[in-house]
């Protein structure tokens, strides 16, 4: 499919954030919008999918685009996120229903694979008549010779398009961000002095099947062990296609792999996933009958990935490209906005990454629509800049919360070494503290409120 020669708004990247932004732009009256993606195949038609949680604030945002009902219908509602030790003793319970009741029309979270979320958003784009152009990989950006307020975006296949606004939604390695000269770094570290990595420095995610039904009490079952963090979750309702070719229910496994265990394999085998369960998962999932009277084994790995956990945020989410002037009020270059992973990345603590990206995209549509209606001026740009500054503030806050959570789950080596003299293991102390804190209903509900994103700027 050939690109048009120009557009008012170009969205680069058709992941959740990019598609949500394109739908929001169209819904806000910007019909001249083009969305491109580097991948030839959409995620929605593959098994690959990292994110599985959609929070209340995100559902509220997607309600405005007419997408939330489809997502809720195809997913599993979650009323709580509970954290256990390996013997199934409850350490911490996070009450979403009680914590969000009266604050939102969605007092829960939804378990749903990212590929299904993308499928729903992709269908919405089709319904409104906005095609996704594939594969179009951005490789360069140049100032338009005829209009200093526009930019020519060049693609690997030799085609190009001229745009007034470019929305970078092209992931953590964003070419839009790099070509715009925007730095991308951890906001909480000193340059040249990397932060000490804890036991969650690297993770494995896999979609697996078992030879039986797991004996776990929750749809999302989280385990805090002495050296790692483990999750097993139902991917979605069985009637929504969450079974493999043999009719077995698919489950999502996520597990931290301490650096002392070495690097995880690029593709996790059945044996490797079983080993993670035996070492870090609940005893109720063990294949050892001495530990588990309902012994259960992994039978297949449908999909898997590995990654190093990182924190980073772009120096600014709004900038200019070209125009021959600085990024101040007098700039005349094309406007560039960054959303989703192109703007911020962090570990999957609390399921925040995709949720933030979706809300980035939904919230930006009416802002750009208003700017295009008002016309180019310093005042108009300042409104866009102020909005993106709020999005950045939110991202930095979430990174801070993620670091606290990661620090509690898998303490940095330095913290553990400080307590090496104690006869009681530091993680045992952690478990006691979590258990005591979460005896408070206020603490449980406050955590749920923070996770949900309700009330964010």
């Amino acid at each position: 499919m050939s690109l048009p020669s120009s557009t008012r708004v170009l969205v680069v990247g058709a992941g959740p954030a990019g598609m949500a932004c394109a739908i929001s732009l169209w819904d806000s009256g910007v019909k001249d919008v083009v969305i491109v993606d580097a991948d030839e195949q959409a995620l929605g038609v593959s098994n690959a999918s990292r994110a599985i949680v959609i929070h209340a604030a995100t559902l509220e945002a997607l309600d405005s685009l007419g997408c939330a009902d489809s997502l809720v219908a195809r997913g599993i509602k979650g009323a709580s996120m509970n954290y256990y030790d390996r013997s199934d003793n409850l350490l911490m319970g996070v009450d979403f229903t009680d914590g969000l009741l009266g604050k939102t029309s969605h007092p829960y979270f939804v378990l749903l694979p990212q590929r299904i979320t993308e499928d729903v958003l992709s269908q919405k784009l089709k319904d409104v008549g906005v095609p996704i152009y594939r594969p179009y990989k951005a490789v360069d950006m140049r100032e338009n010779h005829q209009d200093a307020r526009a930019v020519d975006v060049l693609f690997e296949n030799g085609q190009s398009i001229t745009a007034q606004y470019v929305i970078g939604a092209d992931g953590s390695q964003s070419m839009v961000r790099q070509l715009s000269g925007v730095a991308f770094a951890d906001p909480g570290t000193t340059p040249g002095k990397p932060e000490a990595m804890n036991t969650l420095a690297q993770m494995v995610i896999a979609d697996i099947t078992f030879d039986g039904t797991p004996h776990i009490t929750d749809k999302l079952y989280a385990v805090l062990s002495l050296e790692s963090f483990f999750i097993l979750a139902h991917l979605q309702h069985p009637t929504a296609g969450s079974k493999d070719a043999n009719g077995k229910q698919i489950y999502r496994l996520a597990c931290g792999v301490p650096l002392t265990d070495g690097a995880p394999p690029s593709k996790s085998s059945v044996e490797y996933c079983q080993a993670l369960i035996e070492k870090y998962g609940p005893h109720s999932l063990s294949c050892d009958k001495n530990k588990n009277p309902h012994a259960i084994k992994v039978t297949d790995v449908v999909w898997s990935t590995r990654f190093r956990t990182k924190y980073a945020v772009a120096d600014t989410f709004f900038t200019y490209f070209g125009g021959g002037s600085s990024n101040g009020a007098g700039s005349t270059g094309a406007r560039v906005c960054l959303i989703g992973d192109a703007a911020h990345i962090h570990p999957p603590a609390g399921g925040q990454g995709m949720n933030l990206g979706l809300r980035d995209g939904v919230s930006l549509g009416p802002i750009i629509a208003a700017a295009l209606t008002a016309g180019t001026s310093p005042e108009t740009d300042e409104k866009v800049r102020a909005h993106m500054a709020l999005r950045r503030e939110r991202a930095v806050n979430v990174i801070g919360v993620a670091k606290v959570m990661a620090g509690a789950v898998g303490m940095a080596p330095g913290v553990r070494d400080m307590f090496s003299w104690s006869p009681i293991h530091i993680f045992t102390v952690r478990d006691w503290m979590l258990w005591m804190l979460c005896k408070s209903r206020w603490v449980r509900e406050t955590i749920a409120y923070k996770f949900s994103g309700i009330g964010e700027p």
Side-chain angles (χ1 to χ4, degrees), residues 63-352:
D63 259 335
S64 67
L65 304 182
C67 297
D69 288 347
S70 295
L71 295 171
V72 173
R74 296 178 68 173
I76 297 174
K77 289 183 181 179
S80 63
M81 281 188 181
N82 296 323
Y83 299 79
Y84 300 85
D85 65 13
R86 298 194 66 200
S87 298
D88 299 328
N89 297 308
L90 181 64
L91 299 176
M92 180 174 73
V94 182
D95 299 330
F96 281 81
T97 298
D98 291 342
L100 302 181
L101 202 60
K103 302 180 178 72
T104 173
S105 57
H106 300 283
Y108 47 80
F109 63 88
V110 172
L111 284 174
L112 190 68
Q114 181 179 329
R115 60 185 175 84
I116 303 299
T117 301
E118 296 199 8
D119 181 56
V120 169
L121 295 173
S122 177
Q123 185 59 52
K124 181 66 175 182
L125 282 172
K126 291 178 183 177
D127 292 344
V128 301
V130 178
I132 299 175
Y133 292 84
R134 301 177 183 274
Y136 280 86
K137 181 179 180 180
V139 294
D140 201 3
M141 293 167 60
R142 300 173 185 171
E143 182 180 343
N144 184 269
H145 293 305
Q146 296 179 329
D147 185 354
R149 295 170 297 182
V151 60
D152 297 331
V153 180
L154 284 69
F155 299 97
E156 192 174 55
N157 60 11
Q159 294 190 48
S160 65
I161 188 170
T162 302
Q164 298 174 33
Y165 276 84
V166 177
I167 313 301
D170 48 339
S172 60
Q173 302 301 316
S174 172
M175 186 58 67
V176 172
R177 186 189 67 237
Q178 294 178 49
L179 292 170
S180 300
V182 178
F184 194 58
D186 187 333
T189 58
T190 303
K193 186 180 180 181
E195 184 176 29
M197 297 302 290
N198 61 29
T199 55
L200 296 186
Q202 53 190 9
M203 293 191 71
V204 163
I205 293 178
D207 291 345
I208 61 176
T209 61
F210 291 99
D211 62 359
T213 301
H215 284 258
I216 53 177
T217 56
D218 301 333
K219 296 298 183 181
L220 188 154
Y221 197 92
V223 175
L224 297 178
S225 66
L226 296 184
E227 292 294 340
S228 189
F229 178 57
F230 178 95
I231 289 178
L232 188 78
H234 289 69
L235 277 185
Q236 61 195 111
H237 195 277
T239 60
S242 61
K243 295 186 177 181
D244 71 354
N246 297 315
K248 293 182 178 178
Q249 175 71 40
I250 300 174
Y251 297 85
R252 166 62 52 85
L253 178 153
C255 187
V257 180
L259 294 174
T260 51
D261 284 3
S266 58
K267 298 293 183 182
S268 295
S269 64
V270 167
E271 293 75 20
Y272 188 80
C273 289
Q274 188 70 56
L276 290 177
I277 292 172
E278 300 299 331
K279 191 169 184 180
Y280 302 118
H283 297 316
S284 55
L285 289 180
S286 176
C287 66
D288 184 347
K289 289 188 177 181
N290 293 321
K291 296 180 181 178
N292 177 20
H294 308 286
I296 188 170
K297 292 183 179 180
V298 177
T299 55
D300 189 28
V301 178
V302 179
W303 167 82
S304 70
T305 187
R306 63 177 180 181
F307 62 96
R308 294 293 295 267
T309 55
K310 296 178 181 178
Y311 309 88
V313 65
D315 277 359
T316 180
F317 290 6
F318 174 78
T319 190
Y320 299 88
F321 188 92
S325 58
S326 67
N327 283 338
S331 294
T332 57
R335 277 63 181 160
V336 176
C337 297
L338 302 174
I339 62 175
D341 286 354
H344 47 77
I345 57 171
H346 30 76
Q352 297 297 311

Side-chain angles (χ1 to χ4, degrees), residues 8-9 25 28 30 164-165 318 335 337 364-377 379-385:
R8 301 191 80 181
V9 184
L25 284 161
S28 301
V30 182
Q164 298 174 33
Y165 276 84
F318 174 78
R335 277 63 181 160
C337 297
L364 186 54
I367 299 297
I368 291 183
L372 289 170
T373 300
T376 302
S377 71
E379 293 76 17
T380 300
D381 284 350
E382 189 53 40
K383 291 179 180 179
V384 180
R385 188 194 304 276

Side-chain angles (χ1 to χ4, degrees), residues 437-454:
L437 278 173
C438 286
K439 298 292 280 184
S440 164
R441 178 176 176 178
W442 179 84
V443 170
R444 299 194 304 271
E445 294 182 358
T446 298
I447 295 173
Y449 185 78
K450 290 289 186 183
F451 279 2
S452 75
I454 298 296

